[in-house]
Amino acid sequence: MRRLNVIILMRTLVVTVLLFLITLHTVHGGELSYECKVAHLYAVSVNGSLEYGPAPIVEIMKANPLFVSRKNGSLRGGALSLDTSLAKTTRVLKFGSDRNAFEAVADFGSFKNGTHPYQYIRVEEFEPGSVKPFVIMGEAGIVTGTCK
């Protein structure tokens, strides 16, 4: 079962990489977006605790930054399995401030296999300083890191 999940995750990653290369149109960090770097990838184990995700996928995610649109919540960039260009919709739930986190969700729609994946991101905008921690939860697992 675990090997099957890794194979599915790797196939998803390959498809996402190809689509990203075809549709290369990222935004740049600044007022309109966060520039984020992945630090960790986790998966839930059979006993309910968190375990580290597959090392090759983590290295791919760490190699390049991803960009999060503050306007619509879309994710683009180097952490390709997190890219939301194939999402049916992306939506900002909270825009973030010195008192609130930025939160967004991507809805990938219903798949033929009966799943309906979503991806959620939270950037802790209220933390002091220019570097803000983030967490992403979705099909790739639980991803953490920092944004500017």
Side-chain angles (χ1 to χ4, degrees), residues 34 70 92-104 122-127 132:
Y34 296 101
R70 293 182 188 203
V92 174
L93 304 174
K94 292 182 187 175
F95 284 96
S97 68
D98 60 351
R99 301 175 76 194
N100 296 301
F102 170 89
E103 296 180 24
R122 176 184 172 100
V123 179
E124 305 216 339
E125 180 65 35
F126 56 83
E127 289 294 336
K132 314 293 184 178

Side-chain angles (χ1 to χ4, degrees), residues 27 33 69 74 79 130 144:
V27 294
S33 67
S69 168
S74 64
S130 63
T144 61

Side-chain angles (χ1 to χ4, degrees), residues 32 68-76 89-92 95 102 104-105:
L32 300 178
V68 181
S69 168
R70 293 182 188 203
K71 181 179 178 182
N72 64 21
S74 64
L75 279 70
R76 303 282 188 271
T89 62
T90 57
R91 182 173 153 200
V92 174
F95 284 96
F102 170 89
V105 65

